[in-house]
Amino acid sequence: MAALRAAKQALRTELKKRISQLSDQEKLRQSHIVTQKLLKHPKYQRCQRIAVFLSMHDEVQTEEIIEDIFQKGKVCFIPKYQKKSHHMDMVKLTAASEIHALPLTSWNIPQPSEEEHREEALDTGGLDLILMPGLGFDKHGNRLGRGKGYYDTYLGRCMNHPKGKPYTIAVAFKEQICDAIPVADNDIQVDEILYEFK
């Protein structure tokens, strides 16, 4: 287990370095390509209830995706992380413009405040699709997150929902694609990864 943790940590460091070498312009260019792939994807087009991460500086930018969700009349959910725990909810966003009014977390991610109550996806109709963030991915669907386990824990909760596990699509820069991601038995694979050359 210690060897696996060390291997994951070493790969996280390497991937952060790779991503940091991308210019803002290059990140936007790849983000646009990946967004277009997603918007044309049959799963995305069929899905109604979609969870989307609000991107950090080193991730594929998701704002265009969120705007499209509202334009298409779909329902959008965003992560709400609980401090000092591995608990995350997916809470309803009422408009794309609302993102800019949300308070920032210590990671500089907008999210509703602790006190604000919003509809949680699993309390109502579940989710059809989750867009997955991550630092690295391999072509077998293995994902390397930031080490907090938020998404694996949440997907575990989804599996207990009557609707079952939603389809998962990771959106990535091509620099985030690895030959192999070190994984544990409880790491959940993503169904599909979209990146520039996929």
Side-chain angles (χ1 to χ4, degrees):
M1 200 64 190
L4 177 66
R5 265 201 305 272
K8 284 187 173 189
Q9 205 44 53
L11 187 53
R12 280 190 189 101
T13 303
E14 164 62 26
L15 286 162
K16 283 178 182 175
K17 189 177 162 189
R18 262 194 238 172
I19 299 164
S20 72
Q21 290 167 349
L22 295 174
S23 67
D24 288 349
Q25 194 177 357
E26 176 60 14
K27 284 188 273 197
L28 281 173
R29 187 190 71 78
Q30 288 195 43
S31 292
H32 182 68
I33 288 168
V34 172
T35 296
Q36 292 312 305
K37 282 176 182 268
L38 178 77
L39 301 190
K40 291 173 188 158
H41 196 293
K43 279 276 183 195
Y44 173 80
Q45 290 176 350
R46 282 198 303 270
C47 288
Q48 193 57 30
R49 294 167 64 88
I50 302 172
V52 191
F53 64 95
L54 301 182
S55 36
M56 293 195 280
H57 186 64
D58 60 354
E59 295 172 323
V60 164
Q61 298 302 294
T62 57
E63 207 162 312
E64 208 181 326
I65 297 166
I66 292 166
E67 284 168 7
D68 188 79
I69 289 172
F70 283 100
Q71 281 168 11
K72 299 276 192 325
K74 299 173 187 286
V75 187
C76 185
F77 294 87
I78 58 168
K80 182 177 177 180
Y81 306 96
Q82 279 188 12
K83 283 179 195 161
K84 301 182 180 71
S85 82
H86 300 290
H87 188 86
M88 173 183 79
D89 287 322
M90 288 293 183
V91 296
K92 190 173 179 179
L93 192 67
T94 54
S97 56
E98 194 187 1
I99 295 166
H100 304 291
L102 294 173
L104 295 175
T105 67
S106 54
W107 298 320
N108 231 18
I109 305 172
Q111 77 167 27
S113 66
E114 292 286 320
E115 301 75 42
E116 188 184 351
H117 180 74
R118 287 178 181 242
E119 178 188 328
E120 208 290 325
L122 298 181
D123 291 343
T124 51
L127 288 164
D128 302 316
L129 173 67
I130 299 181
L131 296 185
M132 303 283 287
L135 277 173
F137 307 91
D138 67 23
K139 291 176 184 178
H140 304 290
N142 294 312
R143 169 183 169 271
L144 181 70
R146 293 175 190 267
K148 304 280 188 198
Y150 286 116
Y151 278 83
D152 286 336
T153 305
Y154 192 78
L155 285 168
R157 284 168 58 201
C158 289
M159 287 172 189
N160 294 323
H161 189 273
K163 198 167 197 169
K165 180 184 164 291
Y167 195 77
T168 53
I169 297 179
V171 288
F173 300 123
K174 60 181 186 282
E175 289 75 10
Q176 293 177 276
I177 308 302
C178 307
D179 291 333
I181 296 283
V183 288
D185 293 341
N186 61 339
D187 289 328
I188 300 172
Q189 289 182 317
V190 294
D191 293 311
E192 205 171 331
I193 304 150
L194 297 183
Y195 56 98
E196 186 174 5
F197 293 133
K198 171 79 169 61

